[in-house]
Amino acid sequence: MASISSVLPHASPSQGIRTLARFGFAAKGAVYLTMGILALLAATGMQGGKTTDKQQAVQAIQDLPMGRFLLGLIALGLAGYVIWRFTQALRDTENKGHGAKGIARRIGYAASGLFYVALAYYAGKSAWENTSVSSAGGSGNTKQSMVQTLLEQSYGQWLVGAIGLFIIGTGIYQIWRAYSGKFAKHVNASSLPTEQQQLVFRTGQIGYTARGIVMAIIGYFFVQAARHANASEVNDTEGAFDLLSSMGPGVLGIVAVGLMAYGIYQIVQAKYPVLNGV
């Protein structure tokens, strides 16, 4: 029986899909840039600085002048990013193929899309209803409730531990991707002017490294929650920042700058896409 991807055309995505993808990169970049700026302010002790997760970064954008309008744009952009991720998964725009490795990567694209569905929904709801993180309960409490439900199952500790290891592995992959050479090939194959490719490459390397570190720490939280059967040990980006801060403001500051670089790199992709087929 033919797979779904095998019966779908492999032509380049439509102009509409490409536009949604670019809008999505810009929206994702804005969220990461906001998180990085707030964390950097916290590391330097400046007023207004705080460690945040993605939902709290959305809340910070809401508090800006015309914040609800900006949130509406970000919600639409993230929805576009979700559509692009599912397009990658179904149409194999990255040419990953139908082998086990390729299918795993495409499942990863779909999983990424599902994750940003929640953030796009939250941003849209905040823009429409002026909802705050405190009234919504926060993403950390939601994660802990979900983990608690898993831990109550007979296989719960093993499953939560596996999730943690998967997140750690994903973080390590982010760092490996930055320095393996494949990332450089993507940048060099983009429509970026030649004199700017090196700058964008270094920015992306720093960004992927910082993102990988944060993801690995989040995965560590899950592993600890599994080991101790304690859902309260699960934490998100804000918790990862707090752990880094406990190592010294310089450590937090370096990672914060890295996440700002990742946000900038995503915004660059909105104008000069690095991904294939955009």
PDB file of all heavy atoms in Angstrom, residues 204-237:
ATOM      1  N   GLY A 204      23.720  31.452  13.638  1.00  0.00           N
ATOM      2  CA  GLY A 204      22.964  30.211  13.761  1.00  0.00           C
ATOM      3  C   GLY A 204      23.655  29.208  14.663  1.00  0.00           C
ATOM      4  O   GLY A 204      23.002  28.523  15.467  1.00  0.00           O
ATOM      5  N   GLN A 205      24.968  29.096  14.549  1.00  0.00           N
ATOM      6  CA  GLN A 205      25.717  28.188  15.416  1.00  0.00           C
ATOM      7  C   GLN A 205      25.515  28.536  16.891  1.00  0.00           C
ATOM      8  O   GLN A 205      25.242  27.665  17.720  1.00  0.00           O
ATOM      9  CB  GLN A 205      27.205  28.243  15.078  1.00  0.00           C
ATOM     10  CG  GLN A 205      27.624  27.364  13.922  1.00  0.00           C
ATOM     11  CD  GLN A 205      29.134  27.286  13.807  1.00  0.00           C
ATOM     12  OE1 GLN A 205      29.843  28.285  13.941  1.00  0.00           O
ATOM     13  NE2 GLN A 205      29.640  26.096  13.559  1.00  0.00           N
ATOM     14  N   ILE A 206      25.676  29.807  17.205  1.00  0.00           N
ATOM     15  CA  ILE A 206      25.497  30.248  18.589  1.00  0.00           C
ATOM     16  C   ILE A 206      24.072  29.970  19.047  1.00  0.00           C
ATOM     17  O   ILE A 206      23.832  29.491  20.158  1.00  0.00           O
ATOM     18  CB  ILE A 206      25.827  31.749  18.716  1.00  0.00           C
ATOM     19  CG1 ILE A 206      27.313  31.994  18.430  1.00  0.00           C
ATOM     20  CG2 ILE A 206      25.460  32.278  20.093  1.00  0.00           C
ATOM     21  CD1 ILE A 206      27.667  33.460  18.265  1.00  0.00           C
ATOM     22  N   GLY A 207      23.117  30.275  18.179  1.00  0.00           N
ATOM     23  CA  GLY A 207      21.717  30.078  18.533  1.00  0.00           C
ATOM     24  C   GLY A 207      21.360  28.630  18.766  1.00  0.00           C
ATOM     25  O   GLY A 207      20.702  28.282  19.765  1.00  0.00           O
ATOM     26  N   TYR A 208      21.780  27.751  17.856  1.00  0.00           N
ATOM     27  CA  TYR A 208      21.477  26.323  18.017  1.00  0.00           C
ATOM     28  C   TYR A 208      22.159  25.751  19.260  1.00  0.00           C
ATOM     29  O   TYR A 208      21.607  24.885  19.938  1.00  0.00           O
ATOM     30  CB  TYR A 208      21.921  25.547  16.779  1.00  0.00           C
ATOM     31  CG  TYR A 208      20.894  25.544  15.663  1.00  0.00           C
ATOM     32  CD1 TYR A 208      21.159  26.150  14.440  1.00  0.00           C
ATOM     33  CD2 TYR A 208      19.651  24.933  15.837  1.00  0.00           C
ATOM     34  CE1 TYR A 208      20.225  26.158  13.418  1.00  0.00           C
ATOM     35  CE2 TYR A 208      18.717  24.933  14.819  1.00  0.00           C
ATOM     36  CZ  TYR A 208      19.006  25.546  13.611  1.00  0.00           C
ATOM     37  OH  TYR A 208      18.070  25.550  12.613  1.00  0.00           O
ATOM     38  N   THR A 209      23.357  26.225  19.553  1.00  0.00           N
ATOM     39  CA  THR A 209      24.060  25.748  20.742  1.00  0.00           C
ATOM     40  C   THR A 209      23.291  26.112  22.005  1.00  0.00           C
ATOM     41  O   THR A 209      23.076  25.274  22.893  1.00  0.00           O
ATOM     42  CB  THR A 209      25.477  26.329  20.807  1.00  0.00           C
ATOM     43  OG1 THR A 209      26.207  25.940  19.632  1.00  0.00           O
ATOM     44  CG2 THR A 209      26.217  25.844  22.038  1.00  0.00           C
ATOM     45  N   ALA A 210      22.880  27.379  22.107  1.00  0.00           N
ATOM     46  CA  ALA A 210      22.131  27.828  23.283  1.00  0.00           C
ATOM     47  C   ALA A 210      20.819  27.076  23.407  1.00  0.00           C
ATOM     48  O   ALA A 210      20.427  26.635  24.500  1.00  0.00           O
ATOM     49  CB  ALA A 210      21.873  29.330  23.191  1.00  0.00           C
ATOM     50  N   ARG A 211      20.123  26.912  22.294  1.00  0.00           N
ATOM     51  CA  ARG A 211      18.839  26.189  22.323  1.00  0.00           C
ATOM     52  C   ARG A 211      19.052  24.740  22.737  1.00  0.00           C
ATOM     53  O   ARG A 211      18.263  24.175  23.504  1.00  0.00           O
ATOM     54  CB  ARG A 211      18.186  26.254  20.946  1.00  0.00           C
ATOM     55  CG  ARG A 211      16.764  25.699  20.901  1.00  0.00           C
ATOM     56  CD  ARG A 211      16.115  26.037  19.578  1.00  0.00           C
ATOM     57  NE  ARG A 211      14.734  25.606  19.530  1.00  0.00           N
ATOM     58  CZ  ARG A 211      14.266  24.662  18.706  1.00  0.00           C
ATOM     59  NH1 ARG A 211      15.099  24.054  17.871  1.00  0.00           N
ATOM     60  NH2 ARG A 211      12.996  24.336  18.707  1.00  0.00           N
ATOM     61  N   GLY A 212      20.121  24.131  22.250  1.00  0.00           N
ATOM     62  CA  GLY A 212      20.422  22.752  22.629  1.00  0.00           C
ATOM     63  C   GLY A 212      20.702  22.616  24.108  1.00  0.00           C
ATOM     64  O   GLY A 212      20.259  21.657  24.750  1.00  0.00           O
ATOM     65  N   ILE A 213      21.425  23.572  24.682  1.00  0.00           N
ATOM     66  CA  ILE A 213      21.730  23.545  26.121  1.00  0.00           C
ATOM     67  C   ILE A 213      20.440  23.622  26.929  1.00  0.00           C
ATOM     68  O   ILE A 213      20.234  22.856  27.875  1.00  0.00           O
ATOM     69  CB  ILE A 213      22.678  24.703  26.490  1.00  0.00           C
ATOM     70  CG1 ILE A 213      24.073  24.446  25.901  1.00  0.00           C
ATOM     71  CG2 ILE A 213      22.762  24.877  28.008  1.00  0.00           C
ATOM     72  CD1 ILE A 213      25.006  25.633  26.021  1.00  0.00           C
ATOM     73  N   VAL A 214      19.561  24.555  26.558  1.00  0.00           N
ATOM     74  CA  VAL A 214      18.296  24.714  27.290  1.00  0.00           C
ATOM     75  C   VAL A 214      17.443  23.454  27.177  1.00  0.00           C
ATOM     76  O   VAL A 214      16.865  22.983  28.168  1.00  0.00           O
ATOM     77  CB  VAL A 214      17.529  25.949  26.772  1.00  0.00           C
ATOM     78  CG1 VAL A 214      16.124  26.008  27.368  1.00  0.00           C
ATOM     79  CG2 VAL A 214      18.290  27.224  27.113  1.00  0.00           C
ATOM     80  N   MET A 215      17.366  22.875  25.979  1.00  0.00           N
ATOM     81  CA  MET A 215      16.566  21.661  25.798  1.00  0.00           C
ATOM     82  C   MET A 215      17.130  20.505  26.620  1.00  0.00           C
ATOM     83  O   MET A 215      16.374  19.729  27.215  1.00  0.00           O
ATOM     84  CB  MET A 215      16.510  21.285  24.321  1.00  0.00           C
ATOM     85  CG  MET A 215      15.701  22.244  23.479  1.00  0.00           C
ATOM     86  SD  MET A 215      15.571  21.722  21.748  1.00  0.00           S
ATOM     87  CE  MET A 215      14.470  20.326  21.918  1.00  0.00           C
ATOM     88  N   ALA A 216      18.457  20.375  26.663  1.00  0.00           N
ATOM     89  CA  ALA A 216      19.077  19.303  27.439  1.00  0.00           C
ATOM     90  C   ALA A 216      18.759  19.446  28.924  1.00  0.00           C
ATOM     91  O   ALA A 216      18.498  18.450  29.625  1.00  0.00           O
ATOM     92  CB  ALA A 216      20.587  19.288  27.211  1.00  0.00           C
ATOM     93  N   ILE A 217      18.737  20.680  29.420  1.00  0.00           N
ATOM     94  CA  ILE A 217      18.401  20.908  30.826  1.00  0.00           C
ATOM     95  C   ILE A 217      16.946  20.544  31.094  1.00  0.00           C
ATOM     96  O   ILE A 217      16.621  19.912  32.111  1.00  0.00           O
ATOM     97  CB  ILE A 217      18.677  22.375  31.214  1.00  0.00           C
ATOM     98  CG1 ILE A 217      20.183  22.656  31.173  1.00  0.00           C
ATOM     99  CG2 ILE A 217      18.130  22.679  32.606  1.00  0.00           C
ATOM    100  CD1 ILE A 217      20.542  24.113  31.379  1.00  0.00           C
ATOM    101  N   ILE A 218      16.056  20.922  30.181  1.00  0.00           N
ATOM    102  CA  ILE A 218      14.640  20.563  30.336  1.00  0.00           C
ATOM    103  C   ILE A 218      14.482  19.043  30.353  1.00  0.00           C
ATOM    104  O   ILE A 218      13.724  18.488  31.154  1.00  0.00           O
ATOM    105  CB  ILE A 218      13.806  21.192  29.210  1.00  0.00           C
ATOM    106  CG1 ILE A 218      13.795  22.716  29.370  1.00  0.00           C
ATOM    107  CG2 ILE A 218      12.375  20.650  29.225  1.00  0.00           C
ATOM    108  CD1 ILE A 218      13.149  23.455  28.208  1.00  0.00           C
ATOM    109  N   GLY A 219      15.216  18.362  29.486  1.00  0.00           N
ATOM    110  CA  GLY A 219      15.178  16.898  29.491  1.00  0.00           C
ATOM    111  C   GLY A 219      15.681  16.322  30.798  1.00  0.00           C
ATOM    112  O   GLY A 219      15.130  15.332  31.307  1.00  0.00           O
ATOM    113  N   TYR A 220      16.717  16.936  31.367  1.00  0.00           N
ATOM    114  CA  TYR A 220      17.237  16.513  32.668  1.00  0.00           C
ATOM    115  C   TYR A 220      16.157  16.617  33.739  1.00  0.00           C
ATOM    116  O   TYR A 220      16.038  15.734  34.597  1.00  0.00           O
ATOM    117  CB  TYR A 220      18.447  17.375  33.028  1.00  0.00           C
ATOM    118  CG  TYR A 220      18.897  17.253  34.467  1.00  0.00           C
ATOM    119  CD1 TYR A 220      19.646  16.153  34.889  1.00  0.00           C
ATOM    120  CD2 TYR A 220      18.579  18.243  35.399  1.00  0.00           C
ATOM    121  CE1 TYR A 220      20.053  16.043  36.210  1.00  0.00           C
ATOM    122  CE2 TYR A 220      18.993  18.143  36.713  1.00  0.00           C
ATOM    123  CZ  TYR A 220      19.725  17.042  37.118  1.00  0.00           C
ATOM    124  OH  TYR A 220      20.132  16.928  38.429  1.00  0.00           O
ATOM    125  N   PHE A 221      15.361  17.684  33.702  1.00  0.00           N
ATOM    126  CA  PHE A 221      14.270  17.826  34.666  1.00  0.00           C
ATOM    127  C   PHE A 221      13.298  16.641  34.570  1.00  0.00           C
ATOM    128  O   PHE A 221      12.835  16.115  35.582  1.00  0.00           O
ATOM    129  CB  PHE A 221      13.504  19.132  34.423  1.00  0.00           C
ATOM    130  CG  PHE A 221      14.274  20.380  34.740  1.00  0.00           C
ATOM    131  CD1 PHE A 221      14.072  21.552  34.020  1.00  0.00           C
ATOM    132  CD2 PHE A 221      15.203  20.404  35.769  1.00  0.00           C
ATOM    133  CE1 PHE A 221      14.769  22.713  34.312  1.00  0.00           C
ATOM    134  CE2 PHE A 221      15.922  21.556  36.077  1.00  0.00           C
ATOM    135  CZ  PHE A 221      15.694  22.710  35.336  1.00  0.00           C
ATOM    136  N   PHE A 222      12.992  16.228  33.341  1.00  0.00           N
ATOM    137  CA  PHE A 222      12.079  15.103  33.150  1.00  0.00           C
ATOM    138  C   PHE A 222      12.685  13.814  33.704  1.00  0.00           C
ATOM    139  O   PHE A 222      11.981  12.998  34.320  1.00  0.00           O
ATOM    140  CB  PHE A 222      11.747  14.933  31.662  1.00  0.00           C
ATOM    141  CG  PHE A 222      10.605  15.767  31.181  1.00  0.00           C
ATOM    142  CD1 PHE A 222      10.785  17.107  30.859  1.00  0.00           C
ATOM    143  CD2 PHE A 222       9.333  15.229  31.043  1.00  0.00           C
ATOM    144  CE1 PHE A 222       9.724  17.883  30.421  1.00  0.00           C
ATOM    145  CE2 PHE A 222       8.267  15.997  30.594  1.00  0.00           C
ATOM    146  CZ  PHE A 222       8.463  17.334  30.281  1.00  0.00           C
ATOM    147  N   VAL A 223      13.965  13.610  33.454  1.00  0.00           N
ATOM    148  CA  VAL A 223      14.628  12.401  33.955  1.00  0.00           C
ATOM    149  C   VAL A 223      14.596  12.374  35.479  1.00  0.00           C
ATOM    150  O   VAL A 223      14.327  11.328  36.100  1.00  0.00           O
ATOM    151  CB  VAL A 223      16.079  12.327  33.435  1.00  0.00           C
ATOM    152  CG1 VAL A 223      16.846  11.199  34.129  1.00  0.00           C
ATOM    153  CG2 VAL A 223      16.092  12.117  31.918  1.00  0.00           C
ATOM    154  N   GLN A 224      14.865  13.509  36.100  1.00  0.00           N
ATOM    155  CA  GLN A 224      14.825  13.586  37.557  1.00  0.00           C
ATOM    156  C   GLN A 224      13.417  13.324  38.091  1.00  0.00           C
ATOM    157  O   GLN A 224      13.235  12.645  39.119  1.00  0.00           O
ATOM    158  CB  GLN A 224      15.319  14.955  38.030  1.00  0.00           C
ATOM    159  CG  GLN A 224      16.804  15.187  37.814  1.00  0.00           C
ATOM    160  CD  GLN A 224      17.649  14.176  38.585  1.00  0.00           C
ATOM    161  OE1 GLN A 224      18.129  13.189  38.037  1.00  0.00           O
ATOM    162  NE2 GLN A 224      17.830  14.422  39.875  1.00  0.00           N
ATOM    163  N   ALA A 225      12.419  13.848  37.399  1.00  0.00           N
ATOM    164  CA  ALA A 225      11.032  13.607  37.805  1.00  0.00           C
ATOM    165  C   ALA A 225      10.710  12.117  37.728  1.00  0.00           C
ATOM    166  O   ALA A 225      10.004  11.573  38.595  1.00  0.00           O
ATOM    167  CB  ALA A 225      10.078  14.399  36.920  1.00  0.00           C
ATOM    168  N   ALA A 226      11.237  11.439  36.708  1.00  0.00           N
ATOM    169  CA  ALA A 226      11.008  10.003  36.560  1.00  0.00           C
ATOM    170  C   ALA A 226      11.729   9.229  37.660  1.00  0.00           C
ATOM    171  O   ALA A 226      11.161   8.290  38.249  1.00  0.00           O
ATOM    172  CB  ALA A 226      11.483   9.540  35.183  1.00  0.00           C
ATOM    173  N   ARG A 227      12.964   9.593  37.950  1.00  0.00           N
ATOM    174  CA  ARG A 227      13.744   8.886  38.968  1.00  0.00           C
ATOM    175  C   ARG A 227      13.096   8.966  40.335  1.00  0.00           C
ATOM    176  O   ARG A 227      13.066   7.997  41.090  1.00  0.00           O
ATOM    177  CB  ARG A 227      15.159   9.461  39.039  1.00  0.00           C
ATOM    178  CG  ARG A 227      16.052   9.132  37.846  1.00  0.00           C
ATOM    179  CD  ARG A 227      17.440   9.699  38.063  1.00  0.00           C
ATOM    180  NE  ARG A 227      18.058   9.153  39.277  1.00  0.00           N
ATOM    181  CZ  ARG A 227      18.807   9.850  40.130  1.00  0.00           C
ATOM    182  NH1 ARG A 227      19.010  11.134  39.917  1.00  0.00           N
ATOM    183  NH2 ARG A 227      19.338   9.265  41.179  1.00  0.00           N
ATOM    184  N   HIS A 228      12.538  10.140  40.656  1.00  0.00           N
ATOM    185  CA  HIS A 228      11.995  10.365  41.992  1.00  0.00           C
ATOM    186  C   HIS A 228      10.468  10.263  42.032  1.00  0.00           C
ATOM    187  O   HIS A 228       9.879  10.498  43.095  1.00  0.00           O
ATOM    188  CB  HIS A 228      12.428  11.738  42.498  1.00  0.00           C
ATOM    189  CG  HIS A 228      13.913  11.920  42.517  1.00  0.00           C
ATOM    190  ND1 HIS A 228      14.532  13.119  42.202  1.00  0.00           N
ATOM    191  CD2 HIS A 228      14.928  11.044  42.793  1.00  0.00           C
ATOM    192  CE1 HIS A 228      15.846  12.986  42.295  1.00  0.00           C
ATOM    193  NE2 HIS A 228      16.112  11.736  42.652  1.00  0.00           N
ATOM    194  N   ALA A 229       9.863   9.943  40.862  1.00  0.00           N
ATOM    195  CA  ALA A 229       8.392   9.872  40.776  1.00  0.00           C
ATOM    196  C   ALA A 229       7.763  11.144  41.334  1.00  0.00           C
ATOM    197  O   ALA A 229       6.785  11.103  42.085  1.00  0.00           O
ATOM    198  CB  ALA A 229       7.866   8.643  41.501  1.00  0.00           C
ATOM    199  N   ASN A 230       8.301  12.278  40.933  1.00  0.00           N
ATOM    200  CA  ASN A 230       7.867  13.568  41.473  1.00  0.00           C
ATOM    201  C   ASN A 230       7.665  14.545  40.318  1.00  0.00           C
ATOM    202  O   ASN A 230       8.623  15.099  39.778  1.00  0.00           O
ATOM    203  CB  ASN A 230       8.911  14.099  42.458  1.00  0.00           C
ATOM    204  CG  ASN A 230       8.484  15.407  43.091  1.00  0.00           C
ATOM    205  OD1 ASN A 230       7.379  15.893  42.864  1.00  0.00           O
ATOM    206  ND2 ASN A 230       9.379  15.989  43.882  1.00  0.00           N
ATOM    207  N   ALA A 231       6.421  14.778  39.944  1.00  0.00           N
ATOM    208  CA  ALA A 231       6.116  15.641  38.803  1.00  0.00           C
ATOM    209  C   ALA A 231       6.542  17.082  39.030  1.00  0.00           C
ATOM    210  O   ALA A 231       6.791  17.822  38.074  1.00  0.00           O
ATOM    211  CB  ALA A 231       4.620  15.590  38.495  1.00  0.00           C
ATOM    212  N   SER A 232       6.671  17.502  40.279  1.00  0.00           N
ATOM    213  CA  SER A 232       7.037  18.888  40.558  1.00  0.00           C
ATOM    214  C   SER A 232       8.470  19.212  40.127  1.00  0.00           C
ATOM    215  O   SER A 232       8.853  20.380  40.060  1.00  0.00           O
ATOM    216  CB  SER A 232       6.861  19.199  42.048  1.00  0.00           C
ATOM    217  OG  SER A 232       7.779  18.450  42.835  1.00  0.00           O
ATOM    218  N   GLU A 233       9.265  18.181  39.832  1.00  0.00           N
ATOM    219  CA  GLU A 233      10.637  18.414  39.381  1.00  0.00           C
ATOM    220  C   GLU A 233      10.707  18.767  37.899  1.00  0.00           C
ATOM    221  O   GLU A 233      11.748  19.186  37.402  1.00  0.00           O
ATOM    222  CB  GLU A 233      11.509  17.189  39.671  1.00  0.00           C
ATOM    223  CG  GLU A 233      11.692  16.918  41.157  1.00  0.00           C
ATOM    224  CD  GLU A 233      12.781  15.912  41.440  1.00  0.00           C
ATOM    225  OE1 GLU A 233      13.851  16.008  40.811  1.00  0.00           O
ATOM    226  OE2 GLU A 233      12.563  15.015  42.284  1.00  0.00           O
ATOM    227  N   VAL A 234       9.586  18.579  37.189  1.00  0.00           N
ATOM    228  CA  VAL A 234       9.541  18.958  35.780  1.00  0.00           C
ATOM    229  C   VAL A 234       9.501  20.472  35.676  1.00  0.00           C
ATOM    230  O   VAL A 234       8.776  21.137  36.419  1.00  0.00           O
ATOM    231  CB  VAL A 234       8.304  18.352  35.091  1.00  0.00           C
ATOM    232  CG1 VAL A 234       8.098  18.957  33.706  1.00  0.00           C
ATOM    233  CG2 VAL A 234       8.458  16.847  34.974  1.00  0.00           C
ATOM    234  N   ASN A 235      10.281  21.021  34.778  1.00  0.00           N
ATOM    235  CA  ASN A 235      10.293  22.458  34.578  1.00  0.00           C
ATOM    236  C   ASN A 235      10.498  22.764  33.106  1.00  0.00           C
ATOM    237  O   ASN A 235      10.794  21.870  32.309  1.00  0.00           O
ATOM    238  CB  ASN A 235      11.383  23.113  35.432  1.00  0.00           C
ATOM    239  CG  ASN A 235      10.892  24.368  36.123  1.00  0.00           C
ATOM    240  OD1 ASN A 235      10.210  25.196  35.507  1.00  0.00           O
ATOM    241  ND2 ASN A 235      11.234  24.510  37.393  1.00  0.00           N
ATOM    242  N   ASP A 236      10.342  24.025  32.749  1.00  0.00           N
ATOM    243  CA  ASP A 236      10.420  24.443  31.361  1.00  0.00           C
ATOM    244  C   ASP A 236      11.598  25.387  31.148  1.00  0.00           C
ATOM    245  O   ASP A 236      12.569  25.343  31.907  1.00  0.00           O
ATOM    246  CB  ASP A 236       9.097  25.087  30.926  1.00  0.00           C
ATOM    247  CG  ASP A 236       8.606  26.110  31.947  1.00  0.00           C
ATOM    248  OD1 ASP A 236       9.458  26.703  32.651  1.00  0.00           O
ATOM    249  OD2 ASP A 236       7.379  26.309  32.065  1.00  0.00           O
ATOM    250  N   THR A 237      11.500  26.214  30.122  1.00  0.00           N
ATOM    251  CA  THR A 237      12.600  27.122  29.816  1.00  0.00           C
ATOM    252  C   THR A 237      12.930  28.031  30.987  1.00  0.00           C
ATOM    253  O   THR A 237      14.102  28.300  31.277  1.00  0.00           O
ATOM    254  CB  THR A 237      12.249  27.979  28.584  1.00  0.00           C
ATOM    255  OG1 THR A 237      11.865  27.119  27.508  1.00  0.00           O
ATOM    256  CG2 THR A 237      13.442  28.808  28.147  1.00  0.00           C
TER     257      THR A 237
END
